Every structure is written in structure tokens, then in C-alpha cells.
Amino acid sequence: MSEATQAPGTTADDDATVTGTYQKTGTFLHSSAATHAEQLSPVLDKYQVDKGELELRLPPHRTLNTSCFEPEPHPTHVVAMNLDDDLAENLARQLRCQAVIQESFAAASIGSYFPVSTMFENCVLFVPSAKRFYDLNQDIVHEHFPEVETAVVNAFIVPAEKRPYGTHAASSIALQIPSLVKKQLGFPTEYRSFHTALTPTPLSRQPFVIFEEAELEAPNLPYVYERMLEAGLEGEEKEAVDKALYLFLEGKLSELDLPSVRDFLMAMYWAKTYADTPSPGYYCDSRVGDALVFDNYRAHADSTLPRTTKDRLTIDLRCFNKVHYPKGMTSGLDFIVDPDERAHQIRRKWASIDFLLATLGYESVDEFLRLVFGGSRHASDLDPFGLMTDLQFGIYNKSDYHLLDQNLDAHYERVEALYERIAKEGEYVLPERARRCLAALSEQPGA
């Protein structure tokens, strides 16, 4: 249960008391993480495993290769971002229209990190004011994070009466490989977020939570497993953790379930290792425009705070230093050794982009590329991962055709015209071409 309490005299709808102060929530890492682990555990029921084979692939029959990256710590602090009333209002309006489009295919999306989400790196297509926010705040980002090489923008809503995604932290394909962790290759060694409030966010509005006093680390899952064994695992908990690690190590998870299983193991790790040394959660009772600048490798988010009757709107600049890769590699996609599988993932990325553009009324990817690049680019000429980064595949460094650095005015005129229709008609119907694209994408392996 959450130990969060409201200040005396406030109500669940009282936004007038926000002060931009970073302070404790009354929740703790071990209990918040335990709740999230419980929420994620049903994903394991989708997989059947042979108990004998599982036991042979885990300790004591197998020695695990562990690693743990320890970033240089930077305390979280509050920064006022460039966000005037007009920009904040446009962001809120566009976010609500974006959410209408997302809802039209939400049942197919499975989780917010599914390739056809309108959020995260795909946000640049759907929220015109997100690019303006990105452009207006470059100086602030460089002031507080001089080493930044690439920044991506994500704007999203935590709807009223719904809970945010639970406790997690940034990870990477390369962070699972001890030899790369030792050489600091394939992942950002510095990874900050400028998590900015678009609505006043007192404690009664399910604010964003950071576990500031927890260890700043990015362990691989074998390391996490061994630490949990030391802390004490037995019964159903051990069975679930064993199964999760086995499925991960043996490559038996679909690309959709892999992030959930990884987050399950991390949540169990925090629940077990911090049970005897409670680590408090912190939040900012944010005014509009206040940003929490924090290290994404730090445990964050909390789904145990009381539900609220109001939406929470947020825009987040996620920023990385330059990522270096092993010789002969240019991105995390090169960690996929099988050329057929790599080609499949490129086709799948194009298919997801094609679907997202179809939701906005485009007849093809090339139509969009001609509008943005003036006929100088075609889908056959480009790596789709170069348009937007893709954190799930460890693609961090921006390309010369990174969309956030392009002139997207013509594209955004089309988006705004669609949003005007949504506002006027009060509904959105997924176009037939988008339905066909989604059906084809859902039939591909890995869906």
C-alpha cells in the first residue's frame, strides 16, 4: 500500500499549492517495485517451459556472466523550461488528439513501447508543438547537459483514474553484455531526462517519482538474479524469477514481451534488495514548465500513488551523450548477428512507420518523405531507424535525417488539419489503409 499523504487542507483537485519543490512522496522503492512486479508477472504465463531444461540453464548448473555499469552520479534538480502559455495549451490540445488516434488501435498496441505507439520516438510525427518545445529548449539542455549529442522528445498523458507505468529504469542491449560494459561501448554513459510538467502536479495528481537515494547503477539481468539469490528467494517468487531469466537468456521472448520481462526482473530486484533499507521516493510539486532533470539510469516512476480525477500531461526531452560502438558497428541493430533477422527488423520498422503515417492520412512513406525532404529522399534510400532513434534496439546517435532536426511545417499543417476535424466531429475513424497496414504488421513474426 502507498504511504503517500496529502497536505492538510488540500483536496484531490487542488492545484493551487504547487511550489516547484523537490520533496518526498511517502512511498518507498521496495514496495512500489513489488507492486509493479506483480502487475507485470502475468506476461510469464504466456510461456511454457520444461522445468528440467530450465534448471540446467541456471545456477548452480551454469555460471552467469554478470556486469553492472555505475554512471557518474548527478543529483536530480528542478529547471524552468521555455514554455509559454500558448505552447503549453497547444501541447495539451495536440496530446488529447494524439490520444484519440492511439485509442483507435490501442487493443493492438499491447504496451506503450509497441512499435506502433504514437508516443516516445514516434511522438515527433503526432505532436507539432513537441518539436517547437525541442527547438526552444536546446540552450537549456546544453547548459545543464553539455555532453548531449542526441535529444528525443516524448509527450504523453497519464489519464484521470488510471495509473502510470510502474517503477523502472533505462536499459540497453549493450548493458547486458559484460565485455561491452567494461569498454563502455554500445550504450550512453550519460543519459538525462528533462521531465517537464504541462499541468500543475501536486502529490494528489500522481506526480512523476524518482528514487533519489537508491544506488545509481545499470546492472545486467544475471547480476540482478545473483543479487536476488543473496537477498533470499524461495517458493513462487523464485519460480517466477527463474522462469523470467531463463526465457530472457535463452532468447525465447517475443520483442513485445522482452521489455516487460526485463522490467519484471528489475522490479523484483529492487523489491528484494531494498526491503531492509527503504529508499524514499521524491517528486516535484511542479508548476507548468518545471522540469525534473534526472539520470534515466536511476529507478523512477511509481504506480502506487492514489488515483486522481485529473489528467497529468508531460513532455520529456530524453538526452544522451555520443554513443560509441565496437569496430565495424554503427548502431545497436548490428548486435543482431543474423542478417535475415536484421533485415526483418528493418522491414518491420518501415511497416510500423508506414502504419503511423497512414493514421495521419498518408498514402505511402514516400509521400511523407517527399513532403519533408523535397523529393531528395525515398524509403529505399534510407535506414528507417535514422528517422528516429530506437532505444529498444540500442540506436541512440541521430542521423543526418533525424526528423526532429528537419523542417516539418508542411507535415504539421496536415496533422493540424486532421486534429481540427477530430475536434469538430468529436471522433476519429482509423483509415482503411491504416487498418490494412496494422493487420499486415500484426501478422509478422515477433508481433
Side-chain angles (χ1 to χ4, degrees), residues 394-427:
I395 299 168
Y396 298 98
N397 297 334
K398 64 182 180 181
S399 72
D400 291 339
Y401 44 95
H402 185 56
L403 283 180
L404 276 169
D405 292 331
Q406 309 305 317
N407 183 335
L408 300 178
D409 290 351
H411 166 66
Y412 288 148
E413 285 180 11
R414 294 183 60 150
V415 174
E416 286 286 31
L418 173 61
Y419 288 173
E420 286 177 12
R421 290 200 302 273
I422 291 174
K424 181 179 179 180
E425 298 170 6
E427 64 177 0

Side-chain angles (χ1 to χ4, degrees), residues 1-5 23-33 35 163 167 203 206-213 277-283 300-306:
M1 293 292 290
S2 169
E3 299 177 34
T5 57
Q23 57 194 291
K24 292 181 179 179
T25 59
T27 58
F28 293 92
L29 177 55
H30 67 286
S31 53
S32 296
T35 296
R163 299 199 184 279
T167 308
L203 185 57
Q206 291 193 121
F208 180 69
V209 176
I210 301 170
F211 295 95
E212 186 72 25
E213 298 176 21
T277 55
S279 183
Y282 286 77
Y283 79 105
H300 56 271
D302 193 337
S303 59
T304 69
L305 294 170

